[in-house]
């Protein structure tokens, strides 16, 4: 076992340079793959408040596990950032991140489907995975402010990765399967902002963002086959895909490439009428193009490729789609303050055009739409407010759901799109309340939201044993979501008490095996906690999480109850010795007397002679109870899922920290 975590920091009035490194094979993470993948670099879409949402999709690998629940983890991380101010009007900054991880993971799962009358068998699977991921990010920023009336900001973020996953899967229905997934995507995102104040009444703001993204996932699965039998579990699917069945295996593969190019820009004009009101006029546009190419094929002996002709989806085994989208909009908003109320009514006029070309056909849809929005804010006190917001939004799908040819998401998940899919429309309402009382140190936060989706894109799913084939349609039934969250905190001297509560309700319509299915899900969660903030006395943080998840999937109803008490403690034993520990016990009740539980316990003991000492010595123990696996239970729109994910064993490490 090894761990090396160098950290270097340098500051001066004009510039600063920082470096953080991490090299270990004991599973400690400074940043995970998911953290880096979701890192946006502070970019915000200029059209975020226009009422238009366009989804460019995500074709990255779906790794078996995350880096917090794996059998073995090797991680290498190097990050650096800098800032430089050559003069008061100019600031330069940037950062670079490189992360490399190698992970071995194993998971055992059990899936039960919604309706036994549909004839979909329950499935038990055991999966092991060897995952390799290399990711790099580079961001550079420039901010130029020559005077109070002008400011120019420019950012560029580049992202590259090289990800690979090999999995061995044994299914109680399909048998043994080996699969390989690879992807080497890159993206370049640029952002330009310019703010100009003409005078006290007239202000202009320009925002523009350009994104180039290239994704190239490759998938290959090898399944067992008996050439002398027509009753192998995958035979009927192989026949639908047009595969050669004369070999003792099916080796199916697919190359995909998705190229995205999008410009999102707007110009805002603000006219300050007086100290309590202003008018905002916005002229904006979104120009987007996606090109999607894919090819489904089979490897024969000696890795010779064979191009099948499927017996479904009109024999379309490949895709070559060009999808163009444009939105030109003009928005008007008026803000006025009257006493405690601040009202902001507004609307935007949109001219939409979207066109996709595939298999020699052109599918085009051009239309106009008015999207209203409204916000009112009540400022009871300086530290207490209530905000209500309503907005209507137009939502557009990505190119893969429009592609008519077959797309192999997995050996047991096949899809083909519909080129004439329409956009969906959503009504979004939210209520936000916040209060902070400095006299009694009480903090209250609450948020409630409701969303109704009209013409939402939903799936039509057909199963051949556990292998599903999906296509899509615009649902005439409105999907709904209700979400409520609240938090109350109160400080009593050195003790802080808190209570978090949340509720979520989902209603979704879809079709399975030709039958309409209404799926409803309810989740409620409560987390009381109490923590201390002493200077010298031991500090603790006690929490208890209680959640209930109910799913109504037509013929099958499920209920999961989770109880998870936890404690964290940080104590100075002597002036030079500190002790930190955290413990969590998780129990999941599956109903009908069944329950599963696991425990996590970590601890650290460190010694540093005094604050000026260069050396610090530390003993750190993870998974002290040597827990073998963590359990998880969930339900989606057509199945109930339970899994057991195996994790790293107990590690005890001795560490030395030297401060320059």
């Amino acid at each position: 076992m090894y761990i090396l975590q160098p950290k270097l920091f340098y500051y001066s009035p004009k510039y600063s340079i920082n470096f953080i490194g991490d090299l270990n094979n004991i599973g400690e993470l400074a940043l995970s793959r998911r953290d880096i993948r979701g890192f946006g670099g502070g970019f915000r879409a200029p059209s975020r408040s226009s009422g238009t949402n366009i989804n460019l999709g995500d074709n990255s690998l779906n790794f078996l596990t995350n880096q917090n629940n794996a059998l073995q983890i090797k991680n290498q991380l190097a990050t650096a950032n800098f800032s430089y101010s050559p003069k008061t009007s100019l600031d330069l900054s940037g950062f670079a991140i490189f992360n490399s991880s190698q992970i071995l993971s194993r998971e055992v799962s059990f899936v039960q489907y919604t309706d036994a009358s549909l004839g979909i068998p329950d499935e038990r699977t055991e999966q092991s995975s060897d995952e390799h991921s290399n990711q790099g990010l580079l961001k550079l920023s420039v901010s130029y402010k020559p005077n109070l009336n002008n400011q120019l900001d420019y950012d560029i973020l580049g992202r590259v990765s090289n990800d690979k996953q090999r999995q061995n899967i044994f299914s109680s229905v399909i048998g043994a399967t080996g699969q390989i997934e690879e992807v080497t995507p890159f993206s370049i995102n640029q952002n330009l902002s310019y703010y100009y104040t003409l005078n006290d009444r007239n202000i202009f703001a320009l925002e523009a963002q350009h994104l180039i993204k290239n994704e190239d996932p490759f998938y290959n699965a090898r399944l067992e086959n008996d050439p002398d039998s027509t009753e192998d579990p995958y035979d009927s699917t192989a026949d639908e895909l047009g595969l050669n069945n004369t070999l003792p295996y099916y080796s199916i593969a697919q190359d995909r490439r998705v190229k995205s190019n999008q410009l999102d820009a707007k110009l805002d004009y603000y006219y300050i009428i007086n100290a309590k009101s202003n008018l905002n006029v916005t002229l904006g546009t979104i120009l987007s193009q996606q090109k999607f190419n894919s090819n489904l094929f089979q490897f024969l002996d000696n890795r010779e490729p064979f191009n099948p002709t499927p017996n479904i989806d009109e024999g379309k085994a490949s895709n070559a789609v060009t999808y163009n989208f444009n939105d030109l909009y003009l928005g008007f908003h008026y803000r006025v303050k009257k006493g405690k109320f601040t009202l902001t009514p507004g609307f935007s006029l949109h001219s939409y055009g979207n066109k996709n070309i595939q298999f020699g056909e052109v599918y085009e849809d051009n239309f106009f739409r008015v999207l209203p929005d409204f916000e009112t804010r009540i400022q009871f006190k300086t530290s207490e407010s209530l905000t209500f917001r309503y907005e209507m939004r137009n939502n557009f799908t990505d190119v893969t759901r429009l592609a008519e040819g077959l797309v192999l998401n997995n050996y047991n998940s096949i899809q083909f799109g519909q080129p004439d899919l329409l956009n969906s429309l959503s009504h979004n309402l939210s209520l936000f309340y916040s209060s902070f009382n400095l006299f009694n140190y009480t903090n209250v936060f609450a948020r409630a939201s409701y969303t109704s989706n009209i013409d939402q894109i939903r799936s039509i799913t057909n199963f051949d044993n556990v292998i599903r084939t999906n296509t899509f349609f615009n649902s005439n039934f409105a999907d709904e979501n209700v979400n409520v969250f609240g938090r109350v905190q109160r400080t009593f001297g050195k003790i802080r008490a808190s209570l978090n509560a949340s509720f979520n309700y989902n209603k979704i319509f879809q079709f399975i095996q030709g039958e309409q299915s209404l799926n409803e899900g309810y989740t409620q969660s409560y987390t009381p906690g109490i923590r201390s903030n002493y200077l010298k006395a031991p500090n603790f943080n006690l929490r208890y999480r209680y959640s209930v998840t109910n799913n109504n999937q037509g013929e099958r109803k499920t209920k999961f109850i989770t109880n998870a008490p936890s404690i964290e403690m940080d104590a100075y034993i002597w002036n030079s010795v500190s002790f930190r520990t955290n413990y969590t016990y998780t129990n999941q009740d599956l109903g009908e007397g069944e329950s599963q539980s696991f425990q996590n316990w970590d601890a650290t003991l460190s010694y540093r002679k005094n604050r000026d000492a260069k050396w610090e010595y530390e003993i750190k123990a993870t998974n002290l109870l040597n827990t073998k696996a963590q359990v998880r239970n969930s339900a989606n729109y057509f199945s109930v899922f339970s899994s057991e994910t195996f994790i790293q064993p107990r590690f005890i490490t001795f560490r030395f920290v030297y401060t320059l």
Side-chain angles (χ1 to χ4, degrees), residues 462-475:
N462 290 302
F463 280 85
D464 178 10
N465 55 68
V466 295
I467 302 163
R468 59 183 180 271
T469 303
N470 292 332
T471 189
F472 307 98
F473 73 106
N474 288 103
S475 174

Side-chain angles (χ1 to χ4, degrees), residues 179-338:
Q179 63 180 22
I180 299 174
E181 297 174 89
E182 299 175 353
V183 64
T184 55
F186 72 85
S187 66
I188 300 174
N189 202 347
Q190 300 178 79
N191 186 75
L192 176 70
S193 301
Y194 176 62
Y195 308 97
Y196 173 61
T197 302
L198 179 63
N199 50 45
D200 290 342
R201 289 187 177 271
N202 298 277
I203 301 172
F204 296 87
L206 172 68
E207 292 182 62
Q209 191 174 124
H210 182 243
L211 172 66
I212 295 175
K213 186 164 66 167
N214 189 313
E215 301 165 295
D216 59 344
F218 168 76
Y219 177 80
N220 178 213
R222 184 177 173 124
L223 301 98
E224 296 176 332
N225 176 49
D226 182 356
D228 299 323
S229 171
T230 59
E231 298 182 359
D232 285 347
Y234 208 75
D235 280 348
S236 57
T237 301
D239 180 65
E240 290 181 341
L241 295 177
L243 301 181
N244 184 321
N245 63 359
T246 62
L247 300 175
Y249 58 86
Y250 294 114
S251 181
I252 54 176
Q254 185 168 60
D255 280 314
R256 287 185 284 165
R257 184 175 293 273
V258 182
K259 296 181 178 180
S260 304
N261 191 333
Q262 180 173 288
L263 174 66
D264 186 346
K266 71 170 182 175
L267 175 65
D268 278 306
Y269 167 67
Y270 296 91
Y271 178 68
I272 311 302
I273 301 171
N274 53 49
K276 294 189 176 181
S277 62
N278 66 74
L279 178 66
N280 170 221
V281 180
T282 304
L283 176 63
T285 187
I286 304 174
L287 302 174
S288 178
Q289 183 184 78
Q290 285 191 293
K291 292 184 177 181
F292 175 49
N293 294 83
S294 71
N295 182 39
L296 177 68
F297 58 97
Q298 180 182 5
F299 285 119
L300 303 180
D301 285 335
N302 300 318
R303 301 287 288 180
E304 179 186 353
F306 166 70
N307 295 312
T309 300
N311 295 310
I312 57 173
D313 191 31
E314 300 177 355
K316 297 173 181 176
S318 63
N319 284 289
V321 189
T322 299
Y323 172 42
N324 293 299
F325 170 87
N326 63 79
D327 173 23
L328 179 64
Y329 61 91
L330 185 63
F332 299 90
H333 290 85
Y334 174 67
R335 175 167 293 181
V336 60
K337 185 175 182 180
K338 290 185 176 293

Side-chain angles (χ1 to χ4, degrees), residues 477-623:
F477 304 97
D479 295 342
E480 293 180 290
N481 174 262
V482 177
N483 185 273
V484 180
F485 174 80
R487 179 178 65 238
V488 179
Q489 290 181 340
R490 177 74 183 270
T491 301
F492 306 89
K494 297 294 184 180
I495 302 296
R496 174 187 288 179
S498 65
L499 174 64
N500 294 353
S502 64
F503 171 80
N504 187 75
Y505 167 74
N506 271 307
K507 182 176 78 172
I508 292 176
F509 288 91
Q510 62 180 0
F511 285 85
I512 302 176
Q513 304 291 71
E515 297 183 11
Q516 180 182 318
S517 172
L518 169 62
N519 305 105
E520 294 179 292
Y522 310 81
T523 300
Q524 52 185 314
S525 177
Y526 307 93
T527 309
I530 184 170
R531 64 181 303 173
S532 65
N533 189 27
Y534 294 107
L535 185 62
K536 291 187 176 181
N539 285 301
F540 60 88
N541 184 3
L542 289 168
R543 299 179 67 203
Y544 179 80
R545 179 170 62 89
Y546 175 81
S547 67
V548 181
T549 301
N550 291 278
N551 290 280
N552 184 347
Q553 302 166 315
E555 295 295 323
R556 175 170 285 164
K557 295 179 174 62
T558 62
K559 182 177 182 179
F560 303 132
I561 299 176
T562 301
N563 295 272
S566 65
I567 181 172
E568 297 179 26
M569 193 176 73
D570 186 345
Y572 282 104
I573 301 177
W574 297 286
N575 290 334
S576 302
V577 179
S578 63
F579 175 70
R580 300 185 302 275
T581 187
N582 61 80
Y583 170 82
T584 302
Y585 172 81
T586 303
N587 178 270
Q588 296 182 340
D589 187 342
L590 312 181
E592 299 179 357
E594 288 187 72
S595 67
Q596 296 173 307
S597 64
F598 61 92
Q599 305 173 72
N600 294 104
W601 184 22
D602 302 331
T604 302
L605 184 67
S606 60
Y607 169 80
R608 189 173 187 176
K609 186 176 180 180
N610 53 54
R611 291 186 178 181
D612 299 325
K614 298 290 186 180
W615 286 96
E616 181 177 353
Y617 308 93
E618 186 175 88
I619 301 175
K620 186 169 185 177
T622 58
N623 193 11

Side-chain angles (χ1 to χ4, degrees), residues 334-375:
Y334 174 67
R335 175 167 293 181
V336 60
K337 185 175 182 180
K338 290 185 176 293
K340 296 181 178 181
F341 292 84
T342 301
L343 307 174
T344 311
F347 64 93
S348 54
L349 307 172
H350 293 257
S351 173
Y352 290 109
N354 57 75
K355 178 174 69 173
N356 73 84
I357 305 170
Q358 51 184 313
F359 295 102
E361 298 288 337
V362 178
Y363 302 87
E364 193 167 3
D365 186 24
N366 302 299
F367 62 98
F368 293 89
R369 179 153 288 167
V370 179
L371 299 177
D373 60 86
F374 174 75
E375 181 181 285

Side-chain angles (χ1 to χ4, degrees), residues 380-399:
F380 301 108
K381 305 173 187 175
T382 305
S383 59
E384 184 181 16
S385 64
L386 178 67
T387 303
F388 169 77
R389 182 170 178 80
Y390 165 78
E391 59 179 344
M392 183 185 292
R393 301 193 69 88
N394 243 359
N395 306 293
F396 296 85
T397 187
D398 72 305
V399 67

Side-chain angles (χ1 to χ4, degrees), residues 10-190:
Y10 176 80
Y11 299 95
S12 75
K14 279 196 171 183
Y15 65 91
S16 66
I17 300 174
N18 305 314
F19 173 83
I20 297 176
D22 189 347
L23 180 68
N24 74 83
N25 65 348
I26 60 173
E28 289 202 4
L29 300 175
L31 289 173
S32 68
R33 293 179 311 223
R34 184 175 299 175
D35 293 334
I36 296 175
R37 188 181 300 171
F39 195 85
F43 283 41
R44 297 195 303 166
S47 61
R48 59 189 177 275
S49 58
S50 69
T52 298
N53 285 332
I54 178 168
N55 180 15
L56 297 182
D58 182 6
N59 296 279
S60 56
L61 291 194
N62 184 22
F63 288 107
L64 175 61
T65 60
N66 63 52
Q67 289 173 267
N68 294 319
N69 51 6
L71 276 173
Q72 182 179 319
I73 303 172
K74 295 181 181 179
N75 197 70
Q76 301 174 46
L77 173 72
T79 68
N81 72 321
F82 79 94
S83 62
Y84 176 52
S85 299
K87 53 184 179 179
T88 56
S89 60
L90 181 63
D91 291 316
L92 307 175
S93 62
F95 67 79
I97 300 175
F98 172 76
N99 187 73
S100 177
S101 61
Q102 300 177 39
I103 295 174
L104 298 179
S105 57
R106 178 171 170 251
E107 182 176 271
V108 176
S109 61
F110 183 70
V111 179
Q112 292 178 292
Y113 291 89
T114 56
D115 188 346
S117 66
L118 297 177
I120 308 171
D122 295 338
E123 181 184 26
R124 184 184 185 277
T125 61
E126 183 170 342
Q127 305 178 63
S128 61
S129 176
D130 183 4
E131 308 163 13
H132 295 255
S133 177
N134 296 290
Q135 298 170 296
L137 277 79
L138 177 65
K139 181 185 178 184
L140 300 173
S141 300
V142 179
S143 181
Y144 179 59
K145 191 174 182 180
N147 52 57
L148 293 176
N149 296 328
N150 291 271
Q151 181 174 337
L152 177 67
D153 297 323
Y154 173 76
D155 306 278
I156 181 169
L157 175 68
R159 184 192 305 267
V160 296
S161 67
N162 185 347
D163 299 335
K164 186 173 183 178
Q165 177 175 229
R166 293 177 177 269
Q167 283 185 275
N168 292 311
I169 306 167
F170 183 81
S171 162
S172 60
V173 178
I174 301 297
T177 302
Q179 63 180 22
I180 299 174
E181 297 174 89
E182 299 175 353
V183 64
T184 55
F186 72 85
S187 66
I188 300 174
N189 202 347
Q190 300 178 79

